[in-house]
Amino acid sequence: GVIAFQPTNAGSSRTKGVEIEATLRPSRRFSVSAAVTYQQATLDVDGLNCPTQLQPSAITVALGGTRPVNTCYRYQFRAPNGSLATSGLVQDVRGGQLPVSPEWRFNVSPRWQGPITSSLDGFVQVDLSYQSDVQFAIEQDPLQTQDGYALVDASIGISAPDSRYTLTVFVKNLFNQNFYTTTTTSALIGNNLSVVDVYAFRPKNADRYFGASLGFRF
């Protein structure tokens, strides 16, 4: 019944991937900027806590037995007095997903800009961004996984030909896509797994909003 903290090695992580950025300009007034990132970000670490909802299926590894990976388990060991003891619940993660590291990201931004009167230029731009699913917990908690999502922003505006001033009207998160930037869990009750408390940080741009900006150069 006494909680004890034991320092342990933080494990290791590895990230590899490729990123490509490009700008296509089929005409003087129209351009498309794009970027694609693919990465494999994995971690190996021993002795982590087990997600609460996985604890009932934990196995017990006999003294001297082989400890499993990516599975919640207890292990038997000899106590200082020579008696046989059983550990608390742990897991050894291999090839886990590094927290907040989506495998895919891409964005595309088409833009048109050109004269609309002899003294004014106009522009229209749309920004589409996407990221694949992410895991927020180093313990690989299924309740703390967020599915992939896409965001669309749009803007329209006018400016002086020399760009001395610019007026822009914009909308962020056009389709009102909900998402979180991090999650965490409370101290869940192991003998009552129906009590699940997951907390999430929801940023401002997880809601659609509109705005305008006026810029001057001098």
PDB file of all heavy atoms in Angstrom, residues 165-184:
ATOM      1  N   TYR A 165      -0.183  48.720 -48.269  1.00  0.00           N
ATOM      2  CA  TYR A 165      -1.215  48.367 -47.311  1.00  0.00           C
ATOM      3  C   TYR A 165      -1.983  47.169 -47.852  1.00  0.00           C
ATOM      4  O   TYR A 165      -2.081  46.947 -49.065  1.00  0.00           O
ATOM      5  CB  TYR A 165      -2.170  49.544 -47.042  1.00  0.00           C
ATOM      6  CG  TYR A 165      -2.957  50.007 -48.241  1.00  0.00           C
ATOM      7  CD1 TYR A 165      -4.172  49.397 -48.588  1.00  0.00           C
ATOM      8  CD2 TYR A 165      -2.497  51.057 -49.034  1.00  0.00           C
ATOM      9  CE1 TYR A 165      -4.894  49.821 -49.682  1.00  0.00           C
ATOM     10  CE2 TYR A 165      -3.215  51.483 -50.139  1.00  0.00           C
ATOM     11  CZ  TYR A 165      -4.414  50.875 -50.458  1.00  0.00           C
ATOM     12  OH  TYR A 165      -5.126  51.282 -51.556  1.00  0.00           O
ATOM     13  N   THR A 166      -2.514  46.373 -46.922  1.00  0.00           N
ATOM     14  CA  THR A 166      -3.243  45.153 -47.269  1.00  0.00           C
ATOM     15  C   THR A 166      -4.407  44.970 -46.302  1.00  0.00           C
ATOM     16  O   THR A 166      -4.238  45.106 -45.083  1.00  0.00           O
ATOM     17  CB  THR A 166      -2.328  43.911 -47.174  1.00  0.00           C
ATOM     18  OG1 THR A 166      -1.188  44.079 -48.010  1.00  0.00           O
ATOM     19  CG2 THR A 166      -3.079  42.650 -47.585  1.00  0.00           C
ATOM     20  N   LEU A 167      -5.562  44.682 -46.843  1.00  0.00           N
ATOM     21  CA  LEU A 167      -6.735  44.359 -46.039  1.00  0.00           C
ATOM     22  C   LEU A 167      -7.128  42.916 -46.342  1.00  0.00           C
ATOM     23  O   LEU A 167      -7.338  42.553 -47.495  1.00  0.00           O
ATOM     24  CB  LEU A 167      -7.891  45.304 -46.374  1.00  0.00           C
ATOM     25  CG  LEU A 167      -9.241  44.976 -45.703  1.00  0.00           C
ATOM     26  CD1 LEU A 167      -9.140  45.102 -44.194  1.00  0.00           C
ATOM     27  CD2 LEU A 167     -10.348  45.883 -46.249  1.00  0.00           C
ATOM     28  N   THR A 168      -7.215  42.111 -45.291  1.00  0.00           N
ATOM     29  CA  THR A 168      -7.499  40.686 -45.451  1.00  0.00           C
ATOM     30  C   THR A 168      -8.673  40.286 -44.572  1.00  0.00           C
ATOM     31  O   THR A 168      -8.735  40.662 -43.393  1.00  0.00           O
ATOM     32  CB  THR A 168      -6.277  39.829 -45.063  1.00  0.00           C
ATOM     33  OG1 THR A 168      -5.140  40.248 -45.822  1.00  0.00           O
ATOM     34  CG2 THR A 168      -6.544  38.357 -45.324  1.00  0.00           C
ATOM     35  N   VAL A 169      -9.589  39.524 -45.127  1.00  0.00           N
ATOM     36  CA  VAL A 169     -10.671  38.895 -44.377  1.00  0.00           C
ATOM     37  C   VAL A 169     -10.447  37.385 -44.444  1.00  0.00           C
ATOM     38  O   VAL A 169     -10.187  36.847 -45.523  1.00  0.00           O
ATOM     39  CB  VAL A 169     -12.052  39.262 -44.962  1.00  0.00           C
ATOM     40  CG1 VAL A 169     -13.162  38.541 -44.198  1.00  0.00           C
ATOM     41  CG2 VAL A 169     -12.273  40.777 -44.926  1.00  0.00           C
ATOM     42  N   PHE A 170     -10.530  36.716 -43.302  1.00  0.00           N
ATOM     43  CA  PHE A 170     -10.166  35.294 -43.286  1.00  0.00           C
ATOM     44  C   PHE A 170     -11.148  34.489 -42.440  1.00  0.00           C
ATOM     45  O   PHE A 170     -11.870  35.027 -41.589  1.00  0.00           O
ATOM     46  CB  PHE A 170      -8.749  35.113 -42.739  1.00  0.00           C
ATOM     47  CG  PHE A 170      -8.561  35.595 -41.327  1.00  0.00           C
ATOM     48  CD1 PHE A 170      -8.892  34.791 -40.239  1.00  0.00           C
ATOM     49  CD2 PHE A 170      -8.056  36.868 -41.074  1.00  0.00           C
ATOM     50  CE1 PHE A 170      -8.726  35.234 -38.945  1.00  0.00           C
ATOM     51  CE2 PHE A 170      -7.881  37.324 -39.781  1.00  0.00           C
ATOM     52  CZ  PHE A 170      -8.220  36.504 -38.705  1.00  0.00           C
ATOM     53  N   VAL A 171     -11.138  33.191 -42.685  1.00  0.00           N
ATOM     54  CA  VAL A 171     -11.850  32.227 -41.852  1.00  0.00           C
ATOM     55  C   VAL A 171     -10.875  31.093 -41.543  1.00  0.00           C
ATOM     56  O   VAL A 171     -10.189  30.581 -42.429  1.00  0.00           O
ATOM     57  CB  VAL A 171     -13.125  31.691 -42.543  1.00  0.00           C
ATOM     58  CG1 VAL A 171     -12.818  31.098 -43.915  1.00  0.00           C
ATOM     59  CG2 VAL A 171     -13.821  30.643 -41.660  1.00  0.00           C
ATOM     60  N   LYS A 172     -10.798  30.752 -40.280  1.00  0.00           N
ATOM     61  CA  LYS A 172      -9.956  29.646 -39.836  1.00  0.00           C
ATOM     62  C   LYS A 172     -10.827  28.444 -39.507  1.00  0.00           C
ATOM     63  O   LYS A 172     -11.912  28.584 -38.932  1.00  0.00           O
ATOM     64  CB  LYS A 172      -9.146  30.042 -38.598  1.00  0.00           C
ATOM     65  CG  LYS A 172      -8.192  31.199 -38.816  1.00  0.00           C
ATOM     66  CD  LYS A 172      -7.030  30.802 -39.707  1.00  0.00           C
ATOM     67  CE  LYS A 172      -5.992  31.915 -39.788  1.00  0.00           C
ATOM     68  NZ  LYS A 172      -4.847  31.547 -40.657  1.00  0.00           N
ATOM     69  N   ASN A 173     -10.337  27.266 -39.850  1.00  0.00           N
ATOM     70  CA  ASN A 173     -11.067  26.024 -39.587  1.00  0.00           C
ATOM     71  C   ASN A 173     -12.467  26.098 -40.180  1.00  0.00           C
ATOM     72  O   ASN A 173     -13.483  25.993 -39.481  1.00  0.00           O
ATOM     73  CB  ASN A 173     -11.120  25.741 -38.083  1.00  0.00           C
ATOM     74  CG  ASN A 173     -11.531  24.316 -37.764  1.00  0.00           C
ATOM     75  OD1 ASN A 173     -11.856  23.531 -38.644  1.00  0.00           O
ATOM     76  ND2 ASN A 173     -11.527  23.981 -36.487  1.00  0.00           N
ATOM     77  N   LEU A 174     -12.509  26.263 -41.477  1.00  0.00           N
ATOM     78  CA  LEU A 174     -13.759  26.498 -42.201  1.00  0.00           C
ATOM     79  C   LEU A 174     -14.833  25.460 -41.890  1.00  0.00           C
ATOM     80  O   LEU A 174     -16.015  25.786 -41.768  1.00  0.00           O
ATOM     81  CB  LEU A 174     -13.469  26.528 -43.705  1.00  0.00           C
ATOM     82  CG  LEU A 174     -14.655  26.730 -44.646  1.00  0.00           C
ATOM     83  CD1 LEU A 174     -15.313  28.089 -44.396  1.00  0.00           C
ATOM     84  CD2 LEU A 174     -14.192  26.612 -46.102  1.00  0.00           C
ATOM     85  N   PHE A 175     -14.452  24.192 -41.756  1.00  0.00           N
ATOM     86  CA  PHE A 175     -15.431  23.128 -41.552  1.00  0.00           C
ATOM     87  C   PHE A 175     -15.579  22.737 -40.080  1.00  0.00           C
ATOM     88  O   PHE A 175     -16.114  21.675 -39.765  1.00  0.00           O
ATOM     89  CB  PHE A 175     -15.080  21.918 -42.414  1.00  0.00           C
ATOM     90  CG  PHE A 175     -15.139  22.221 -43.891  1.00  0.00           C
ATOM     91  CD1 PHE A 175     -13.971  22.409 -44.623  1.00  0.00           C
ATOM     92  CD2 PHE A 175     -16.359  22.370 -44.534  1.00  0.00           C
ATOM     93  CE1 PHE A 175     -14.018  22.704 -45.977  1.00  0.00           C
ATOM     94  CE2 PHE A 175     -16.417  22.661 -45.886  1.00  0.00           C
ATOM     95  CZ  PHE A 175     -15.247  22.842 -46.609  1.00  0.00           C
ATOM     96  N   ASN A 176     -15.074  23.596 -39.188  1.00  0.00           N
ATOM     97  CA  ASN A 176     -15.301  23.433 -37.746  1.00  0.00           C
ATOM     98  C   ASN A 176     -14.833  22.065 -37.248  1.00  0.00           C
ATOM     99  O   ASN A 176     -15.537  21.369 -36.510  1.00  0.00           O
ATOM    100  CB  ASN A 176     -16.790  23.635 -37.423  1.00  0.00           C
ATOM    101  CG  ASN A 176     -17.015  24.161 -36.026  1.00  0.00           C
ATOM    102  OD1 ASN A 176     -16.187  24.896 -35.485  1.00  0.00           O
ATOM    103  ND2 ASN A 176     -18.122  23.788 -35.428  1.00  0.00           N
ATOM    104  N   GLN A 177     -13.623  21.688 -37.626  1.00  0.00           N
ATOM    105  CA  GLN A 177     -13.058  20.382 -37.248  1.00  0.00           C
ATOM    106  C   GLN A 177     -12.524  20.426 -35.812  1.00  0.00           C
ATOM    107  O   GLN A 177     -11.664  21.234 -35.487  1.00  0.00           O
ATOM    108  CB  GLN A 177     -11.922  20.016 -38.214  1.00  0.00           C
ATOM    109  CG  GLN A 177     -11.121  18.792 -37.811  1.00  0.00           C
ATOM    110  CD  GLN A 177     -11.945  17.530 -37.868  1.00  0.00           C
ATOM    111  OE1 GLN A 177     -12.547  17.209 -38.889  1.00  0.00           O
ATOM    112  NE2 GLN A 177     -11.986  16.799 -36.772  1.00  0.00           N
ATOM    113  N   ASN A 178     -13.039  19.547 -34.977  1.00  0.00           N
ATOM    114  CA  ASN A 178     -12.560  19.494 -33.598  1.00  0.00           C
ATOM    115  C   ASN A 178     -11.271  18.684 -33.506  1.00  0.00           C
ATOM    116  O   ASN A 178     -11.110  17.669 -34.171  1.00  0.00           O
ATOM    117  CB  ASN A 178     -13.627  18.858 -32.698  1.00  0.00           C
ATOM    118  CG  ASN A 178     -13.197  18.821 -31.250  1.00  0.00           C
ATOM    119  OD1 ASN A 178     -12.857  19.853 -30.678  1.00  0.00           O
ATOM    120  ND2 ASN A 178     -13.188  17.650 -30.655  1.00  0.00           N
ATOM    121  N   PHE A 179     -10.333  19.142 -32.650  1.00  0.00           N
ATOM    122  CA  PHE A 179      -9.114  18.386 -32.407  1.00  0.00           C
ATOM    123  C   PHE A 179      -8.496  18.864 -31.099  1.00  0.00           C
ATOM    124  O   PHE A 179      -8.875  19.904 -30.545  1.00  0.00           O
ATOM    125  CB  PHE A 179      -8.121  18.538 -33.573  1.00  0.00           C
ATOM    126  CG  PHE A 179      -7.586  19.930 -33.751  1.00  0.00           C
ATOM    127  CD1 PHE A 179      -6.390  20.314 -33.171  1.00  0.00           C
ATOM    128  CD2 PHE A 179      -8.281  20.872 -34.498  1.00  0.00           C
ATOM    129  CE1 PHE A 179      -5.901  21.604 -33.333  1.00  0.00           C
ATOM    130  CE2 PHE A 179      -7.800  22.153 -34.673  1.00  0.00           C
ATOM    131  CZ  PHE A 179      -6.600  22.522 -34.089  1.00  0.00           C
ATOM    132  N   TYR A 180      -7.530  18.096 -30.603  1.00  0.00           N
ATOM    133  CA  TYR A 180      -6.846  18.424 -29.351  1.00  0.00           C
ATOM    134  C   TYR A 180      -5.346  18.497 -29.591  1.00  0.00           C
ATOM    135  O   TYR A 180      -4.815  17.902 -30.536  1.00  0.00           O
ATOM    136  CB  TYR A 180      -7.142  17.366 -28.280  1.00  0.00           C
ATOM    137  CG  TYR A 180      -8.614  17.130 -28.077  1.00  0.00           C
ATOM    138  CD1 TYR A 180      -9.206  15.917 -28.443  1.00  0.00           C
ATOM    139  CD2 TYR A 180      -9.429  18.113 -27.527  1.00  0.00           C
ATOM    140  CE1 TYR A 180     -10.564  15.699 -28.262  1.00  0.00           C
ATOM    141  CE2 TYR A 180     -10.781  17.915 -27.350  1.00  0.00           C
ATOM    142  CZ  TYR A 180     -11.343  16.704 -27.722  1.00  0.00           C
ATOM    143  OH  TYR A 180     -12.687  16.492 -27.556  1.00  0.00           O
ATOM    144  N   THR A 181      -4.658  19.218 -28.719  1.00  0.00           N
ATOM    145  CA  THR A 181      -3.199  19.308 -28.829  1.00  0.00           C
ATOM    146  C   THR A 181      -2.486  18.434 -27.811  1.00  0.00           C
ATOM    147  O   THR A 181      -1.306  18.131 -27.966  1.00  0.00           O
ATOM    148  CB  THR A 181      -2.727  20.752 -28.654  1.00  0.00           C
ATOM    149  OG1 THR A 181      -3.208  21.262 -27.403  1.00  0.00           O
ATOM    150  CG2 THR A 181      -3.248  21.633 -29.791  1.00  0.00           C
ATOM    151  N   THR A 182      -3.194  18.002 -26.764  1.00  0.00           N
ATOM    152  CA  THR A 182      -2.633  17.060 -25.797  1.00  0.00           C
ATOM    153  C   THR A 182      -3.762  16.469 -24.972  1.00  0.00           C
ATOM    154  O   THR A 182      -4.854  17.051 -24.878  1.00  0.00           O
ATOM    155  CB  THR A 182      -1.609  17.744 -24.871  1.00  0.00           C
ATOM    156  OG1 THR A 182      -0.963  16.756 -24.051  1.00  0.00           O
ATOM    157  CG2 THR A 182      -2.279  18.766 -23.967  1.00  0.00           C
ATOM    158  N   THR A 183      -3.534  15.310 -24.396  1.00  0.00           N
ATOM    159  CA  THR A 183      -4.501  14.690 -23.494  1.00  0.00           C
ATOM    160  C   THR A 183      -3.762  14.109 -22.296  1.00  0.00           C
ATOM    161  O   THR A 183      -2.550  13.875 -22.344  1.00  0.00           O
ATOM    162  CB  THR A 183      -5.300  13.550 -24.170  1.00  0.00           C
ATOM    163  OG1 THR A 183      -4.391  12.499 -24.529  1.00  0.00           O
ATOM    164  CG2 THR A 183      -6.037  14.039 -25.396  1.00  0.00           C
ATOM    165  N   THR A 184      -4.498  13.853 -21.230  1.00  0.00           N
ATOM    166  CA  THR A 184      -3.952  13.189 -20.053  1.00  0.00           C
ATOM    167  C   THR A 184      -5.090  12.476 -19.346  1.00  0.00           C
ATOM    168  O   THR A 184      -6.271  12.745 -19.607  1.00  0.00           O
ATOM    169  CB  THR A 184      -3.276  14.191 -19.101  1.00  0.00           C
ATOM    170  OG1 THR A 184      -2.635  13.482 -18.036  1.00  0.00           O
ATOM    171  CG2 THR A 184      -4.288  15.168 -18.519  1.00  0.00           C
TER     172      THR A 184
END
